[in-house]
Amino acid sequence: MWSSTRSLSDHPVGKDAQAMRTGQRQNKGMRTRLGCLSHKSDSCSDFTAILPDKPNRALKRLSTEEATRWADSFDVLLSHKYGVAAFRAFLKTEFSEENLEFWLACEEFKKTRSTAKLVSKAHRIFEEFVDVQAPREVNIDFQTREATRKNMQEPSLTCFDQAQGKVHSLMEKDSYPRFLRSKMYLDLLSQSQRRLS
């Protein structure tokens, strides 16, 4: 028999029930926080917070013509620093900015001239983006991942080409059209047009 001085939480079943209630409270709190995150605003004001320059100055420099050209092609968007910044801000609202970060890391990697740096940079990119369970794992198929893993045995400037191509294609077909329809992009266009009038 339990003594009257022991509480229900001291009983093994009571401890399990208490742990379950605590876990449910924590889960509810996590769901609330995730709910807030998933309703992240998709407006132009979010974009200005991460612009490469001071936001107001950058928006003044960004012409309607430049912002409109981003819709010409995905590569035009990627060739413009404000386009990359706007697309990155949009991908953050979708929790998929790792695709763009990987693509940019590969572009930077291709400029590597030192053989010693090339090997260490290649392994760092692989461990961060390509390896299974990588902290910012990109969405590529098994064959591409394995081909890239083989390339790591003797890294070269082209070792990520296949994976980078797959990620580029995924962003171009999936995220890029959504970006062009997003409130963020449409707000940006209307703000740049208002400055002209």
Side-chain angles (χ1 to χ4, degrees):
M1 283 311 269
W2 295 98
S3 70
S4 58
T5 57
R6 291 181 80 182
S7 71
L8 184 59
S9 64
D10 290 333
H11 187 278
V13 174
K15 280 185 179 178
D16 288 346
Q18 189 175 17
M20 207 154 88
R21 280 193 301 276
T22 302
Q24 287 169 339
R25 276 196 304 272
Q26 288 170 340
N27 285 343
K28 187 176 181 190
M30 182 62 77
R31 279 196 306 273
T32 303
R33 285 192 294 277
L34 288 173
C36 292
L37 286 173
S38 67
H39 291 96
K40 273 172 90 171
S41 175
D42 170 20
S43 72
C44 186
S45 60
D46 295 327
F47 160 62
T48 59
I50 57 108
L51 275 168
D53 295 334
K54 296 195 171 163
N56 292 335
R57 195 181 318 150
L59 276 175
K60 282 179 189 154
R61 286 186 193 160
L62 179 64
S63 70
T64 305
E65 184 184 331
E66 287 173 317
T68 304
R69 283 192 58 234
W70 298 348
D72 290 349
S73 79
F74 186 48
D75 290 323
V76 168
L77 173 77
L78 292 177
S79 69
H80 196 277
K81 75 175 179 177
Y82 297 150
V84 169
F87 190 55
R88 179 185 282 126
F90 171 73
L91 291 176
K92 282 185 178 183
T93 68
E94 295 199 330
F95 305 101
S96 62
E97 70 268 22
E98 70 280 350
N99 293 323
L100 179 62
E101 298 302 335
F102 170 68
W103 187 86
L104 291 169
C106 291
E107 287 298 289
E108 192 59 36
F109 174 74
K110 289 175 188 174
K111 298 173 189 169
T112 308
R113 294 294 160 246
S114 157
T115 309
K117 283 184 180 174
L118 186 128
V119 171
S120 65
K121 278 184 180 180
H123 285 286
R124 194 165 52 243
I125 292 170
F126 183 84
E127 288 165 12
E128 186 172 352
F129 296 105
V130 181
D131 207 2
V132 176
Q133 305 274 305
R136 300 200 285 171
E137 185 180 352
V138 290
N139 187 7
I140 53 175
D141 58 88
F142 175 78
Q143 288 84 2
T144 304
R145 193 177 313 278
E146 287 309 300
T148 308
R149 185 185 308 283
K150 283 181 187 156
N151 292 343
M152 288 297 98
Q153 292 166 4
E154 288 183 45
S156 69
L157 292 176
T158 60
C159 65
F160 294 110
D161 284 1
Q162 186 181 355
Q164 186 186 19
K166 295 273 183 174
V167 167
H168 181 281
S169 179
L170 177 72
M171 290 190 294
E172 187 174 28
K173 290 177 184 161
D174 190 38
S175 308
Y176 174 61
R178 283 200 307 277
F179 167 72
L180 295 177
R181 293 189 303 266
S182 72
K183 186 175 184 319
M184 180 182 291
Y185 179 60
L186 298 175
D187 281 356
L188 185 67
L189 281 177
S190 66
Q191 277 193 20
S192 63
Q193 286 166 347
R194 274 200 302 272
R195 279 197 319 275
L196 294 173
S197 51

